[in-house]
Amino acid sequence: MPERISLKKRTRIESFSHLGRDVTFGAVRIESETCDGCGFCLKPCPAHALEVIGKKARMVEDMPFCIACGDCVAICPQNAIMITSYLQFNFHFKYLDRGEPRPPRKF
Ligand code: SF4
Ligand code: SF4
């Protein structure tokens, strides 16, 4: 039996501006031992969620709006980045189970 959705919920549109309530952003983990600070990962990131401090890349501390696109993972020559969680809407636009985050295909 499919879940019934109330009228109130049906007319509600999830918003990126309601962080934590409507949407949970993605995240990546960067192995600091492997990262050499080249900065390649910063360029394709559509969310400007990464920075290099002291020759090591990391997620920006102030609101990393990572959408878990995997571009940084694909471009990193050191294989130092891994997606740890996906972008997730919390109400209607729930994703189906996609299993564990996996790195994108490299060319
Ligand atoms: S691309 Fe990889 S090695 Fe280069 S700064 Fe980013 S995480 Fe570090
Ligand atoms: S997964 Fe995409 S949005 Fe997230 S930090 Fe990497 S390039 Fe940026």
Side-chain angles (χ1 to χ4, degrees):
M1 186 82 160
E3 180 191 353
R4 285 193 65 83
I5 301 172
S6 70
L7 183 61
K8 187 178 171 191
K9 277 188 175 177
R10 267 184 269 172
T11 53
R12 193 173 181 291
I13 297 171
E14 288 166 272
S15 165
F16 278 109
S17 59
H18 295 130
L19 300 180
R21 189 188 75 180
D22 288 5
V23 63
T24 307
F25 280 89
V28 297
R29 184 174 69 237
I30 301 170
E31 299 293 341
S32 58
E33 303 84 42
T34 322
C35 171
D36 64 7
C38 69
F40 286 178
C41 54
L42 276 58
K43 294 182 181 165
C45 178
H48 305 292
L50 302 170
E51 62 185 359
V52 173
I53 303 286
K55 299 255 182 201
K56 297 292 174 192
R58 67 179 193 186
M59 295 199 85
V60 297
E61 287 181 353
D62 185 29
M63 295 290 181
F65 298 125
C66 170
I67 57 170
C69 65
D71 287 357
C72 57
V73 180
I75 204 171
C76 176
Q78 303 294 331
N79 291 326
I81 311 179
M82 178 186 290
I83 294 174
T84 54
S85 59
Y86 287 121
L87 174 78
Q88 176 79 52
F89 284 102
N90 298 324
F91 295 98
H92 296 311
F93 305 120
K94 288 182 177 172
Y95 290 107
L96 298 175
D97 181 14
R98 290 173 294 177
E100 287 298 306
R102 276 175 299 194
R105 186 163 60 114
K106 294 216 179 207
F107 292 94

